Amino acid sequence: MMISRLMCGDVYPDSYWFQFKREEISVTDLMDCEKIHLKNPLIFTLNKKISEKRLLSYNYYMSDGPHFISPRLATLLKNNEEFVKEVQLLDAIVIINGQSHYGFKVFNPLRSIPCIDTDKSESMAMLTSQPDGPKLFTKIVLRQDITEDFWMARSEEAASCIIISDKLRQLLIDNQIKGINLKD
């Protein structure tokens, strides 16, 4: 099975980086692969002179916290029963120049799978005092011998790395999703 890293597309403008309002959860909470119960939606803000229409044509957005997706992509994925068994979609409000936009979501993959080819990837110890401890990957090469059937998961070796299956990649291509790198 072919797998890919979930990454922002090359054409994503730097001016579209949102600020994440850290209140109820942190980015590390999303790396636990467990359901999160929020009292309020997550909030992302952008205060820049930009074309709102062009910005809202994207389906995947970057922030200084978690990345998030458009209402269009959220609806597409919410209607996929298999996908929502594996990935919790957390509510998000996006505030652009003071104007609130609703229906955005943050991915919270509920499973992790071993998927990094540690022989071909490059990493270093996060703590020099623990050379066999947690690794910081400087180059990630994914294994292509994954037999598990999944839509989206976190990498067991590097929790910040989200991987997608070929069936999800194809769904994104078929629906002309903008903002995600879908190249081979």
Side-chain angles (χ1 to χ4, degrees):
M1 174 196 286
M2 288 287 293
I3 62 170
S4 315
R5 278 178 75 184
L6 178 64
M7 290 175 23
C8 197
D10 304 338
V11 295
Y12 192 83
D14 289 344
S15 59
Y16 292 0
W17 274 80
F18 284 79
Q19 283 75 52
F20 174 54
K21 195 171 174 192
R22 287 160 177 73
E23 285 181 344
E24 277 188 72
I25 66 161
S26 71
V27 179
T28 53
D29 293 330
L30 290 165
M31 293 183 190
D32 295 338
C33 295
E34 290 177 15
K35 273 204 186 245
I36 293 174
H37 302 285
L38 294 174
K39 289 182 185 71
N40 302 299
L42 301 173
I43 296 175
F44 297 89
T45 57
L46 184 67
N47 292 308
K48 284 197 174 114
K49 287 208 181 303
I50 44 113
S51 161
E52 209 167 294
K53 186 176 187 242
R54 184 162 172 248
L55 171 71
L56 294 173
S57 74
Y58 281 80
N59 299 113
Y60 187 70
Y61 300 92
M62 308 285 282
S63 86
D64 59 3
H67 304 314
F68 57 97
I69 61 171
S70 70
R72 178 176 164 250
L73 180 52
T75 300
L76 177 72
L77 296 173
K78 269 193 306 207
N79 293 330
N80 181 321
E81 284 178 34
E82 290 176 51
F83 181 85
V84 293
K85 281 181 194 161
E86 294 178 23
V87 182
Q88 181 185 17
L89 294 169
L90 300 169
D91 291 330
I93 295 174
V94 171
I95 302 169
I96 304 167
N97 296 323
Q99 176 90 38
S100 294
H101 299 268
Y102 301 89
F104 290 82
K105 301 283 183 189
V106 170
F107 290 131
N108 181 25
L110 300 175
R111 67 193 280 194
S112 67
I113 58 176
C115 60
I116 293 178
D117 185 330
T118 49
D119 295 333
K120 292 180 183 163
S121 298
E122 292 169 17
S123 65
M124 54 193 209
M126 272 188 196
L127 305 167
T128 48
S129 60
Q130 294 182 335
D132 296 329
K135 301 256 182 266
L136 179 66
F137 285 89
T138 51
K139 177 185 168 197
I140 292 179
V141 176
L142 297 175
R143 292 180 18 221
Q144 294 302 333
D145 61 347
I146 308 287
T147 54
E148 244 176 288
D149 185 29
F150 76 100
W151 287 83
M152 175 185 282
R154 284 200 179 275
S155 160
E156 217 168 79
E157 301 85 353
S160 62
C161 174
I162 295 177
I163 55 166
I164 62 173
S165 65
D166 209 36
K167 61 185 173 182
L168 178 54
R169 186 176 161 275
Q170 196 56 53
L171 181 76
L172 299 174
I173 290 169
D174 292 347
N175 287 278
Q176 296 164 351
I177 296 306
K178 189 175 172 188
I180 297 177
N181 183 353
L182 298 169
K183 296 187 201 109
D184 287 334

